[in-house]
Amino acid sequence: MISPLYKDVESNAAAPVSKPAAKKTSFLRKWGPALAAIAGVIAVNVALLGPNGGKIPALNERQLNAQSRRLERTQSVLDMEWDHEADLKRGLHKEVGRHLTEEEGGVMEYTRRRHRYLGEYVHVDVSDQFSIYGKVLISIIYFAFWVFLMFPNWFLPIGRPGIALGGGLTMVVVRYILLLIGHGPVFDAAKVIILEPLFLLFGLMLTTIYLEKMERGGLFDKLRDSLDDPVNWKRSAKIMAMSTIGSAAVMNDSVVLIFSGVVVDLCVRHKVANSLPYLLSLATTANTGSAFTMTGNPQNILIVSLAYDDISWTEFLSNMILPVTAASIINATLLFCYYSSELFPGSSGIMECLGIVFSGNRTPEMLAQEHAYHARNVQSIQVMEEPSTGWSVWSKIQIVLVTVFLVCFAVGLDVCVTSICAGAILMVLAAWKRQHYDPRPEIVDYDAEGNALPPKKMYDMDGNEIEPEEEELVTESETTLTEVDYGLLMLFIGQFILIGSFDDTGVPQGFFNLAMGGCAEQMTSVPCVYWFVLVITILSNVASNVPVVQMLAATFPYATPYDWMQVSFSATIAGNLTMLGSAANMIVAFQAAKVGDRTFTSERHAPFGIPSTIISLYAGTALLSLVHFSPECSVKLGECDEE
């Protein structure tokens, strides 16, 4: 029996409250912070570099010596004799070993192999084989589909996966036509499709589905309950903390894929009118938190593998602690301020929100939400058929598998193989549990009064009773495997083809060289670093961050570890600028839309994403330029010996 007190509380909380009609958000309130941030970043760069770049400082003696050494090293590598058959046998697509013995050729042989690896695999420059007509046509097609993907609701209701796949097929056809009429080179579409993210996503989706479906009240439900809280801002803070730590430990794409459905479920449970603050809490902090470690996102993994000098895990983390922490605090603060009405219901301003956070104050609306939350919990406990018995054997098995998965990832095993193996093990375990452990569903017919009817008997022509056939087993291919989001995989395949074809034109590289101007040879030195990170942010949102990293590795093969720290930070934080800036954003939007929540759109993301990204980017860049532990010179090139 439910206590009358809780009945009164629940009825009062559920009773409709007469409120004035919500006013539509004004243009200035919605876009004002974004416009102010854009104006601010333009003003900062004009003040530092001058309207026409006239304040760009000349290269100092150290930078000139480094430039000379790089040219000499490149020429020495080009003049080296090499065994073509040995290269083919070893494979150009194989990552270059960093520490070669003197018998193997030492630093020079390492440089030569890396030079070929960058030139013939990571970035093949075919831009000179395009005519002007070909470059313009490919660019128009790319930006047209970029707009379609950014604002899919403005056009036909096809959805992002269909748009991306259509764009990729369009690009393949157009590139073939350009080849026939002599306006472009051969397009190897299969080569530009990066398989590792697809394998990883498939394995993670398989693992997530079985963790969720294997047992009601199991590991997945307990994880969901750990993020629950009756107070809106605390629930958002828990999501941000989990997303930040998880992205740094595993990978941002993994975290958002697992928790997107959890966040939407929490919003449904609390009857939240606007789930956008909570989805932004997940997506933005997943991107920001992934900047902490070299395994936090694909571009960081690529940076460490392509950098000329060695970058250790501890070196990477020590450089990123200060700027990423600052960016995380800025992002969380802006989120609380921008969505104060949703996260702090009933509050009258920023000062009252601060009092709620630091003093534990409550508004009447927040108290009503808490009382209703506890009333629902009491009612659910009393009507629960079977009380919770804690951790079942299946939950313990899930914990062991997840722990082994994280350990395998931490020790450096291939994440794609690890995730697919985890999903396959869970699939076998779930199938065995369903066949040998779970009770079989009873197929019983009932009459109008609810009484069970005896099973019907069937007879043949001779009056003999026909034995019922054995129940056909339902396979995993017919049930759980159909829940894998193959549309998400199609989305990434289409984007890979679009981006790969666009990069072939050389337009992103041309934009980078034109935009950097005199800062190209001193891109991470103050004041050029503030312009450099802005250019990287724009390119990461237009051409994606992984191709940008590949382009920089081929254009600046001897970039220092400190240079790569700035690239990593800016390319990662840039993911929060627009919806297409990060794969994590696309995954959150896709997973939320799959369960009916379509609030996470480009139009709603940009008003918060733009100011949060710009302020976090410039604050973190300033801190990283002041405090960093990576050398501003190349050890393998011998630049550090001169200092």
Side-chain angles (χ1 to χ4, degrees):
M1 182 176 179
I2 301 175
S3 169
L5 174 63
Y6 280 106
K7 282 185 176 180
D8 294 341
V9 170
E10 188 175 14
S11 61
N12 292 337
V17 180
S18 59
K19 292 184 179 181
K23 296 181 180 179
K24 185 178 180 180
T25 305
S26 64
F27 177 84
L28 188 61
R29 168 69 177 85
K30 182 177 181 180
W31 291 100
L35 296 175
I38 294 173
V41 75
I42 293 174
V44 167
N45 283 285
V46 168
L48 292 175
L49 303 176
N52 300 317
K55 295 183 180 180
I56 297 176
L59 297 178
N60 56 36
E61 184 178 357
R62 182 182 66 83
Q63 291 169 336
L64 290 172
N65 290 337
Q67 188 180 46
S68 176
R69 278 181 174 271
R70 293 168 185 175
L71 294 175
E72 291 176 1
R73 177 64 59 88
T74 300
Q75 189 58 48
S76 299
V77 166
L78 294 176
D79 293 340
M80 288 178 63
E81 296 183 359
W82 50 278
D83 188 345
H84 182 65
E85 292 185 0
D87 276 359
L88 292 178
K89 185 177 180 180
R90 182 174 53 253
L92 293 177
H93 292 195
K94 185 178 180 181
E95 200 171 301
V96 183
R98 291 185 170 275
H99 304 287
L100 301 181
T101 63
E102 292 300 324
E103 291 77 11
E104 293 174 321
V107 174
M108 290 301 295
E109 176 62 16
Y110 158 74
T111 308
R112 186 196 68 78
R113 294 182 185 180
R114 179 174 175 273
H115 181 77
R116 294 203 65 192
Y117 178 74
L118 292 176
E120 299 188 29
Y121 172 57
V122 172
H123 181 74
V124 181
D125 186 5
V126 295
S127 58
D128 57 336
Q129 301 179 37
F130 280 93
S131 65
I132 297 298
Y133 170 77
K135 290 184 178 182
V136 171
L137 181 60
I138 294 298
S139 300
I140 290 174
I141 293 174
Y142 176 78
F143 282 106
F145 278 97
W146 188 87
V147 173
F148 296 161
L149 287 169
M150 183 71 77
F151 309 105
N153 297 331
W154 290 8
F155 307 96
L156 295 175
I158 300 175
R160 284 194 175 95
I163 293 173
L165 199 59
L169 294 175
T170 301
M171 197 66 82
V172 171
V173 173
V174 171
R175 286 291 298 269
Y176 181 69
I177 295 174
L178 290 177
L179 175 65
L180 293 180
I181 62 178
H183 286 278
V186 175
F187 180 44
D188 189 355
K191 187 175 180 180
V192 300
I193 298 175
I194 307 175
L195 295 178
E196 286 79 3
L198 301 178
F199 294 151
L200 177 62
L201 284 175
F202 176 78
L204 289 173
M205 284 189 285
L206 198 62
T207 303
T208 304
I209 290 169
Y210 279 107
L211 286 176
E212 184 177 9
K213 301 293 184 182
M214 181 175 289
E215 182 185 24
R216 184 177 180 181
L219 177 63
F220 209 81
D221 289 334
K222 287 180 170 59
L223 193 60
R224 180 189 293 109
D225 293 338
S226 68
L227 296 177
D228 198 3
D229 197 281
V231 181
N232 291 358
W233 74 266
K234 287 185 178 180
R235 190 161 62 251
S236 174
K238 286 183 178 181
I239 293 171
M240 286 191 282
M242 174 278 304
S243 180
T244 301
I245 297 172
S247 297
V250 189
M251 186 179 287
N252 58 349
D253 296 348
S254 311
V255 170
V256 297
L257 185 64
I258 294 172
F259 287 98
S260 295
V262 173
V263 172
V264 173
D265 183 70
L266 289 175
C267 294
V268 173
R269 180 184 298 183
H270 290 272
K271 301 178 182 179
V272 172
N274 181 15
S275 62
L276 184 60
Y278 306 97
L279 293 174
L280 282 172
S281 299
L282 175 66
T284 57
T285 53
N287 290 325
T288 305
S290 69
F292 270 116
T293 62
M294 64 170 60
T295 55
N297 53 60
Q299 62 266 22
N300 284 0
I301 297 174
L302 189 62
I303 283 173
V304 174
S305 65
L306 296 183
Y308 187 56
D309 291 89
D310 299 335
I311 301 176
S312 66
W313 196 91
T314 53
E315 178 185 348
F316 197 103
L317 177 63
S318 63
N319 281 282
M320 289 300 177
I321 283 181
L322 193 58
V324 177
T325 301
S328 299
I329 294 173
I330 291 171
N331 180 75
T333 303
L334 291 177
L335 186 71
F336 283 167
C337 293
Y338 199 87
Y339 295 101
S340 58
S341 59
E342 288 88 352
L343 300 177
F344 303 91
S347 61
S348 57
I350 299 299
M351 297 307 298
E352 186 174 1
C353 294
L354 292 175
I356 292 172
V357 173
F358 295 106
S359 301
N361 300 334
R362 297 286 191 276
T363 64
E365 289 81 359
M366 296 174 67
L367 287 173
Q369 288 181 346
E370 290 187 49
H371 293 160
Y373 171 82
H374 293 301
R376 287 195 302 269
N377 283 350
V378 170
Q379 184 177 4
S380 63
I381 291 174
Q382 293 184 355
V383 302
M384 189 180 298
E385 296 179 0
E386 296 181 4
S388 175
T389 57
W391 295 94
S392 68
V393 63
W394 305 108
S395 297
K396 293 176 181 178
I397 292 175
Q398 288 179 339
I399 293 174
V400 171
L401 287 175
V402 171
T403 303
V404 172
F405 168 76
L406 294 177
V407 170
C408 291
F409 185 86
V411 299
L413 297 181
D414 189 279
V415 293
C416 304
V417 175
T418 303
S419 60
I420 293 177
C421 287
I425 293 173
L426 286 170
M427 178 177 65
V428 173
L429 186 63
W432 185 87
K433 175 177 178 289
R434 182 157 52 84
Q435 183 176 3
H436 299 286
Y437 185 84
D438 293 343
R440 296 288 179 89
E442 295 183 3
I443 304 176
V444 181
D445 295 328
Y446 297 89
D447 59 17
E449 298 178 356
N451 300 316
L453 297 175
K456 293 182 179 180
K457 295 183 178 181
M458 302 182 67
Y459 300 89
D460 58 17
M461 297 293 293
D462 299 327
N464 300 317
E465 183 179 351
I466 300 176
E467 295 292 335
E469 296 181 0
E470 293 185 5
E471 183 181 351
E472 186 177 352
L473 293 177
V474 180
T475 66
E476 294 298 315
S477 300
E478 298 171 312
T479 55
T480 311
L481 282 180
T482 60
E483 298 185 27
V484 173
D485 294 325
Y486 298 102
L488 185 60
L489 302 179
M490 295 298 103
L491 170 65
F492 281 95
I493 290 174
Q495 281 193 296
F496 286 147
I497 297 175
L498 281 168
I499 293 169
S501 181
F502 180 57
D503 286 342
D504 281 352
T505 63
V507 172
Q509 298 88 324
F511 170 80
F512 178 82
N513 295 328
L514 179 64
M516 289 303 296
C519 284
E521 294 297 331
Q522 48 181 327
M523 53 190 181
T524 57
S525 300
V526 178
C528 287
V529 65
Y530 296 103
W531 178 245
F532 171 69
V533 296
L534 180 61
V535 173
I536 294 299
T537 299
I538 295 173
L539 279 176
S540 295
N541 281 269
V542 172
S544 188
N545 41 30
V546 170
V548 168
V549 169
Q550 292 179 328
M551 178 195 75
L552 290 174
T555 308
F556 302 97
Y558 305 108
T560 67
Y562 168 67
D563 294 339
W564 283 119
M565 291 299 101
Q566 289 286 9
V567 172
S568 170
F569 180 76
S570 57
T572 301
I573 300 300
N576 288 333
L577 187 71
T578 66
M579 178 72 78
L580 298 183
S582 167
N585 295 339
M586 302 296 292
I587 293 172
V588 171
F590 191 87
Q591 293 293 96
K594 188 183 70 171
V595 293
D597 190 331
R598 302 184 185 277
T599 58
F600 197 70
T601 62
S602 299
E603 301 95 314
R604 296 186 178 100
H605 177 279
F608 171 77
I610 292 174
S612 174
T613 301
I614 291 177
I615 297 173
S616 301
L617 178 70
Y618 272 65
T621 299
L623 290 172
L624 185 57
S625 62
L626 291 173
V627 182
H628 54 269
F629 303 97
S630 291
E632 299 182 34
C633 54
S634 173
V635 176
K636 280 183 164 46
L637 198 60
E639 296 175 359
C640 299
D641 299 337
E642 300 177 355
E643 300 184 355

